[in-house]
Amino acid sequence: MFGAKNKGSERIHKLAGKSALTVKIVIAAIVLLALGGSSYYSIQEEEQAVVCTFGSPKAVTTPGLHFKIPLIQSVTKVNTTIQGFNIGYHADGEEEDALMITSDYNFIFVDFYAEYRVTDPVKALYASEDPETILKNIAQNCIRTTIGSYSVDSVLTTGKNEIQSNIKQMILDKLEEYDIGIQLVNITIQDATPPNEEVENAFKEVETAKQGKETALNNANKYRNEQIPNAEAESDKILQDAEAQKQERINEANGQVARFNSMYQEYIKYPEVTKKRMFYEAMENVLPDLKVIIESQDGSTSTILPLDSFVTGENTAQSGDEEADGEEEE
């Protein structure tokens, strides 16, 4: 009987030993699976990772599957897409951050929207506790400084683009100084309104008038651009006509000079003949339609018309006889 008890206890011990070994194997397998599963991590296109090994961080920027040492390395993923936040207004309707004062001591509500992205994931995680809050504080400071240097009219109407550009540059300079691993992409004015409705309506009327002014200027510039080519073409035509008249007169003058020289050469050869010919030609030019009546001593008259009748004398007698007959009939 005693021997049977010893055999039973040995069997129990064996079963207990096998059970403990099985449990150890299962635990070891679970640990290995857990370690194996934590040995890999993946990075998407829109993110980067920071792998920290014994407190030393290192950025991993390549998308895909990566290996890490379990229990030694830790991985923190950082979103690198463009993110944004509002400045000046909140979901609950509070606008305390939007109330600002301009250079001409007017109050105005201005709402902004800022966009940023992470450029250095290590600095974004370890250079500051909350880089977005730091960026928001920097932006608010730059916005108030810039708005305070412009008049209310510029903020509401014509100066928005310049104001946005100046604010953006100020924020970029401060972020470069702080070096917290994020970069401003853009900052825009969403809305700018006066503190009361009456002033707001007045500024809307001013904006409408300025838009009308710009429209009138654009139309005037369009008309000017349309008329300038026509005026230039007309000017070119006038210049060409003047140049043609100039050349024509030069040619005419040269012709007259040549004619005079030719006549002078003839005059040298035959002075008396040339004088008479010049006289007759002058008379023909000066008195082409002149009617010459000559009255003789006996009271008879004779008409010389045209001038060449004075030379031939034939038409003169006829004209004189006809006129005499006419007078006798009268």
Side-chain angles (χ1 to χ4, degrees), residues 107-306:
F107 289 99
I108 188 173
F109 289 107
V110 188
D111 303 325
F112 286 83
Y113 186 77
E115 296 176 302
Y116 72 95
R117 65 184 180 88
V118 175
T119 55
D120 190 328
V122 175
K123 291 179 180 178
L125 288 176
Y126 297 102
S128 62
E129 183 177 355
D130 190 351
E132 182 177 317
T133 301
I134 294 175
L135 174 59
K136 185 176 292 187
N137 293 334
I138 292 174
Q140 289 177 344
N141 177 265
C142 295
I143 288 170
R144 292 187 179 278
T145 301
T146 304
I147 295 295
S149 62
Y150 283 86
S151 65
V152 65
D153 184 63
S154 297
V155 178
L156 290 173
T157 57
T158 59
K160 290 183 179 180
N161 292 332
E162 182 179 345
I163 290 171
Q164 291 175 169
S165 178
N166 292 341
I167 292 174
K168 181 178 180 180
Q169 189 59 49
M170 289 179 64
I171 295 175
L172 290 174
D173 293 340
K174 288 186 177 295
L175 284 177
E176 184 177 358
E177 179 182 351
Y178 287 118
D179 195 19
I180 56 176
I182 61 176
Q183 182 183 36
L184 181 71
V185 176
N186 196 21
I187 184 166
T188 55
I189 297 177
Q190 298 295 300
D191 192 18
T193 57
N196 60 68
E197 185 177 355
E198 182 179 356
V199 178
E200 182 179 359
N201 293 334
F203 275 104
K204 285 182 179 179
E205 292 177 359
V206 172
E207 180 67 17
T208 302
K210 289 185 175 180
Q211 290 178 356
K213 173 186 174 182
E214 292 178 358
T215 301
L217 288 175
N218 292 334
N219 292 335
N221 290 330
K222 179 182 178 182
Y223 178 77
R224 182 191 65 180
N225 294 333
E226 291 175 351
Q227 294 301 316
I228 284 177
N230 296 332
E232 291 177 348
E234 186 67 21
S235 174
D236 292 339
K237 184 176 181 300
I238 294 174
L239 290 175
Q240 291 174 3
D241 292 342
E243 188 67 26
Q245 292 181 9
K246 168 188 170 184
Q247 192 62 40
E248 182 181 352
R249 294 196 175 187
I250 290 174
N251 294 336
E252 183 180 354
N254 291 333
Q256 291 178 357
V257 170
R259 181 182 177 189
F260 178 82
N261 291 332
S262 175
M263 187 177 297
Y264 181 69
Q265 295 298 327
E266 293 294 327
Y267 177 80
I268 294 175
K269 294 178 182 180
Y270 311 102
E272 294 299 327
V273 176
T274 305
K275 282 182 181 180
K276 290 181 179 180
R277 184 166 62 84
M278 291 176 63
F279 174 76
Y280 293 147
E281 289 177 354
M283 290 300 100
E284 289 178 353
N285 291 330
V286 174
L287 306 171
D289 300 324
L290 182 63
K291 184 176 182 180
V292 180
I293 300 175
I294 300 176
E295 183 177 358
S296 62
Q297 292 180 355
D298 58 0
S300 62
T301 60
S302 60
T303 303
I304 302 174
L305 182 66

Side-chain angles (χ1 to χ4, degrees), residues 294 302-305 309-321:
I294 300 176
S302 60
T303 303
I304 302 174
L305 182 66
S309 300
F310 179 78
V311 180
T312 60
E314 297 177 355
N315 294 333
T316 302
Q318 294 177 0
S319 300
D321 294 340

Side-chain angles (χ1 to χ4, degrees), residues 23-40 67-68 70-71:
V23 171
K24 290 179 180 180
I25 292 172
V26 171
I27 293 173
I30 293 172
V31 171
L32 289 175
L33 289 174
L35 292 176
S38 61
S39 299
Y40 296 93
F67 174 78
K68 72 180 182 68
L71 305 179

